[in-house]
Each structure stands twice: as C-alpha cells, then as structure tokens.
Amino acid sequence: MEKAILILRSVTYAYKGQRVLEKAGIRSTILRTPEEYAKRGCSYSLAVSGDGRTAADLLQKNGIRVLGTVQKN
C-alpha cells in the first residue's frame, strides 16, 4: 500500500492537521520530518496511507499549509 508524508511547519500544525484528517476518516501519524526531506530546520509531518495529494488538498482547504508531500510505495 502507498504511503505519503505531508511536511508541515510545526508540531502545532501537525496536531491540527491530524484532527482535520481524522474528521474526514483519514488516519495519520505525527512524526518529525526525516532529515532528507526537511528543507528548513526541524519540521513535523503527518504520515498517511494512500494518496497524499487528497490529504494535502484537504489540509490546504482547512487553512493548514503543506510545505511538501513525499509519496512512498
């Protein structure tokens, strides 16, 4: 199954994003952004199963800026 990492600005946004995704029935896990994907200092991410674009679009529509998305197989 595909997985995606949604890179967010802070742990606060990760918790807010997790609540938004949960309401839409999308499970996620909060993690520190892996070093190879962190562009500026430390950031936090949400790991989700399935298509990361759908989850990222949902976050954006709810005012949570997604700094990047990494799709993994």
Side-chain angles (χ1 to χ4, degrees), residues 10-11 13-16 18 28-32 44-47:
S10 68
V11 71
Y13 282 103
Y15 279 111
K16 288 179 182 182
Q18 189 175 45
S28 63
T29 303
I30 297 173
L31 61 130
R32 287 203 61 161
Y44 282 80
S45 297
L46 290 172

Side-chain angles (χ1 to χ4, degrees), residues 11-29:
V11 71
T12 301
Y13 282 103
Y15 279 111
K16 288 179 182 182
Q18 189 175 45
R19 283 192 297 271
V20 167
L21 294 177
E22 189 176 291
K23 285 181 183 178
I26 301 171
R27 293 185 59 168
S28 63
T29 303

Side-chain angles (χ1 to χ4, degrees), residues 1 10 30 32 35 37-38 41-42 50 56 59 64-65:
M1 172 173 261
S10 68
I30 297 173
R32 287 203 61 161
E35 241 181 80
Y37 305 125
C42 67
L59 293 178
I64 299 170
R65 186 171 171 220

Side-chain angles (χ1 to χ4, degrees), residues 2-6 48-57 69-71:
E2 286 189 16
K3 292 187 179 197
I5 296 174
L6 309 176
V48 297
S49 295
D51 182 21
R53 288 184 186 178
T54 302
D57 288 345
T69 304
V70 179
Q71 197 72 36

